[in-house]
Amino acid sequence: GQNIDQPTEMTATEGAIVQINCTYQTSGFNGLFWYQQHAGEAPTFLSYNVLDGLEEKGRFSSFLSRSKGYSYLLLKELQMKDSASYLCAVRAAGNKLTFGGGTRVLVKP
Amino acid sequence: EAQVTQNPRYLITVTGKKLTVTCSQNMNHEYMSWYRQDPGLGLRQIYYSMNVEVTDKGDVPEGYKVSRKEKRNFPLILESPSPNQTSLYFCASSSRAQGELFFGEGSRLTVL
């Protein structure tokens, strides 16, 4: 089976940087996704990592270390609209996708 | 507009009354899946489909059925709903099994 851990909640100030960690244990690894979900809405895709390293996309970056079973999502220059839940999801062998419980990020003025 | 459409968006029903939540996508995606989302438990996969007539169980398939007779549609069937199936349900699709998921707006189901 798969086990995915991420913090439940984080608070940060507008304009700051926040790093959301995700650790996972899986039998076979086929990629890691990050999704953003605003309250009452559907998740939307942010990033995908399948190889080790950093993927940068504007204010958001995602990092993966397969040997450590570890990823993080970095949100820079935080804006109020970034207040949302951030979901880490791991695709294992056989294409089964498992989500972590999500990290709720609250951005304060 | 590319989208995944679920219906109904909201439903209150009673124990044992069969219901179907429809899901349709207009992106010609091969991969489709159903998730339920509960507080503290995150998104859990119910069933997924790699292509027409190909379906597989996810992590929480008990009490649910699916079918994939056409590429665009992937209905979720609750033959005899029970209160523990009260949840927020999301349908999602992807161009391939490894690709990013596009989610429907969600269906909030309450079983009394």
Side-chain angles (χ1 to χ4, degrees):
Chain A
Q2 297 186 79
N3 190 35
I4 301 172
D5 286 313
Q6 48 180 134
T8 306
E9 197 167 291
M10 301 179 76
T11 302
T13 306
E14 196 175 11
I17 298 173
V18 70
Q19 177 175 315
I20 305 168
N21 296 325
C22 172
T23 57
Y24 63 89
Q25 295 168 309
T26 183
S27 50
F29 177 80
N30 230 348
L32 186 143
F33 296 83
W34 284 96
Y35 286 84
Q36 180 190 58
Q37 185 178 24
H38 285 100
E41 298 182 10
T44 54
F45 170 78
L46 285 179
S47 69
Y48 172 65
N49 296 71
V50 66
L51 300 175
D52 290 352
L54 187 68
E55 294 276 344
E56 295 187 83
K57 208 187 264 189
R59 294 189 298 113
F60 293 4
S61 304
S62 57
F63 171 83
L64 175 67
S65 169
R66 288 172 297 170
S67 61
K68 295 181 179 174
Y70 169 69
S71 172
Y72 68 73
L73 179 70
L74 196 69
L75 285 61
K76 293 179 269 191
E77 300 168 21
L78 277 173
Q79 302 175 8
M80 298 300 290
K81 67 178 182 180
D82 297 330
S83 290
S85 288
Y86 292 86
L87 316 178
C88 172
V90 175
R91 192 178 296 286
N95 294 315
K96 199 167 178 182
L97 185 68
T98 301
F99 283 81
T103 299
R104 192 162 66 179
V105 171
L106 177 62
V107 180
K108 293 186 172 179
Chain B
E1 181 191 350
Q3 58 187 5
V4 179
T5 304
Q6 299 177 222
N7 278 297
R9 294 286 316 282
Y10 302 91
L11 179 64
I12 300 174
T13 189
V14 295
T15 299
K17 187 176 181 182
K18 180 180 178 180
L19 69 92
T20 299
V21 186
T22 63
C23 175
S24 180
Q25 50 92 5
N26 62 0
M27 295 170 278
N28 201 36
H29 284 171
E30 291 187 350
Y31 181 90
M32 296 185 75
S33 60
W34 275 103
Y35 294 86
R36 60 178 289 173
Q37 188 171 38
D38 303 288
L41 296 177
L43 278 164
R44 293 181 292 167
Q45 191 176 54
I46 304 170
Y47 269 96
Y48 64 97
S49 170
M50 301 284 281
N51 213 327
V52 176
E53 302 292 3
V54 180
T55 62
D56 271 304
K57 294 177 182 179
D59 293 315
V60 288
E62 296 78 20
Y64 305 95
K65 284 174 58 176
V66 292
S67 68
R68 188 90 183 274
K69 294 186 172 58
E70 306 165 283
K71 199 171 189 179
R72 63 183 293 129
N73 295 325
F74 191 44
L76 179 70
I77 303 156
L78 285 72
E79 292 271 3
S80 183
S82 62
N84 65 11
Q85 291 178 297
T86 291
S87 187
L88 177 59
Y89 292 86
F90 286 103
C91 178
S93 73
S94 176
S95 58
R96 53 195 176 92
Q98 297 82 13
E100 66 179 270
L101 289 171
F102 292 83
F103 285 84
E105 292 183 299
S107 296
R108 187 167 290 283
L109 171 66
T110 301
V111 183
L112 302 174

